[in-house]
Amino acid sequence: MTIKGEKVILRSFRLSDAPSFVRWLNDPEVDRFLRAGAKKITLKEEIKWIKNLSKKIKTEKHFAIDTIQGNLVGSCGLSLSLKNKNAVLGIGIDDKRYWNQGLGTEATKMLIDYGFKKLKLHRIDLKVYSYNGRAIKVYKKLGFKFEGMQREEVFYKGKYYDLIQMGLLSREWKRK
Ligand SMILES: CC(C)(COP(=O)(O)OP(=O)(O)OC[C@H]1O[C@@H](n2cnc3c(N)ncnc32)[C@H](O)[C@@H]1OP(=O)(O)O)[C@@H](O)C(=O)NCCC(=O)NCCS
């Protein structure tokens, strides 16, 4: 499946994407915002993750993000709770050379649209580290509301940080 925007294309993962993700996700500058110092990812694990997507197709809607020129730059996805029509959103412009060019905003917008219009979700939420000002800016811009935080949940490089929860309802998205 492919969703085309102005700057980015969301498409299904390919096994050949794996080496790029391993390189990017193990980059400390990227890891800081996504997994805050978690264990390094191996190529074997990444390939397994991509292969497993096809087994979880009903609840895991993940896309690779290409630029409109066709360069792989990251990924995004929704993990669904079918009973409640909810999903948890994740996004990474994992190739840091492409940060701050509007790609993350557009990809997130396209994913939300897919979630509410195509999947008929009622609610989409996410968690973000308190020090990730750029991501929080993007989520606020797209209408996500601050819903609370887990105080000092994340231990990163000798310090504790809050984990912020944000959420967006289908009716709020329609109004925008
Ligand atoms: C967060 C992320 C998806 C945003 O995508 P992006 O393409 O870099 O961001 P965009 O260019 O679309 O928008 C960034 C916005 O934040 C602003 N911004 C940049 N750095 C900022 C900072 N430190 N604090 C606050 N705002 C900041 C920009 O000015 C821009 O706002 P504007 O559109 O009003 O000018 C991307 O940077 C990324 O993947 N980072 C690493 C992984 C990550 O953080 N994932 C999210 C985990 S919850």
Side-chain angles (χ1 to χ4, degrees):
M1 177 171 176
T2 299
I3 309 174
K4 197 169 173 194
E6 282 174 21
K7 296 180 176 182
V8 296
I9 296 168
L10 309 189
R11 62 156 173 86
S12 305
F13 273 88
R14 302 174 190 133
L15 283 179
S16 58
D17 297 331
S20 299
F21 283 108
V22 172
R23 198 167 65 248
W24 296 330
L25 298 179
N26 289 329
D27 175 342
E29 276 186 66
V30 180
D31 165 79
R32 175 169 179 252
F33 296 118
L34 287 175
R35 304 186 315 130
K39 180 174 121 336
K40 297 259 183 212
I41 294 171
T42 64
L43 181 61
K44 199 174 159 194
E45 284 166 341
E46 185 63 20
I47 288 174
K48 190 173 166 197
W49 187 83
I50 295 176
K51 279 188 176 162
N52 275 341
L53 285 177
S54 60
K55 296 182 198 152
K56 298 187 276 186
I57 196 73
K58 278 199 173 146
T59 54
E60 297 293 323
K61 307 287 183 184
H62 291 267
F63 298 93
I65 305 172
D66 281 348
T67 63
I68 204 79
Q69 292 83 10
N71 300 315
L72 175 66
V73 291
S75 76
C76 61
L78 295 170
S79 298
L80 309 188
S81 159
L82 296 174
K83 175 189 165 290
N84 299 312
K85 289 186 159 285
N86 291 346
V88 179
L89 179 145
I91 165 91
I93 300 299
D94 302 312
D95 183 340
K96 62 190 177 192
R97 295 173 301 175
Y98 287 89
W99 286 352
N100 295 321
Q101 297 172 30
L103 305 188
T105 301
E106 189 184 55
T108 308
K109 186 166 180 273
M110 288 159 64
L111 186 64
I112 296 169
D113 230 38
Y114 169 74
F116 285 138
K117 293 192 181 148
K118 182 100 181 153
L119 304 178
K120 309 271 185 250
L121 292 174
H122 177 65
R123 171 190 157 85
I124 297 177
D125 61 43
L126 58 88
K127 287 187 174 165
V128 55
Y129 302 145
S130 56
Y131 54 80
N132 195 348
R134 180 175 36 225
I136 293 168
K137 172 84 190 283
V138 169
Y139 302 144
K140 273 191 186 159
K141 209 167 49 171
L142 293 174
F144 277 88
K145 292 199 176 5
F146 175 84
E147 296 184 327
M149 66 166 89
Q150 285 163 252
R151 294 172 305 139
E152 301 191 11
E153 164 75 12
V154 185
F155 188 68
Y156 180 61
K157 292 205 170 169
K159 267 186 79 178
Y160 284 103
Y161 296 92
D162 299 333
L163 184 63
I164 294 175
Q165 158 115 10
M166 301 180 85
L168 177 63
L169 302 177
S170 150
R171 62 175 176 274
E172 295 165 341
W173 185 248
K174 276 188 198 137
R175 244 186 263 134
K176 267 180 86 75

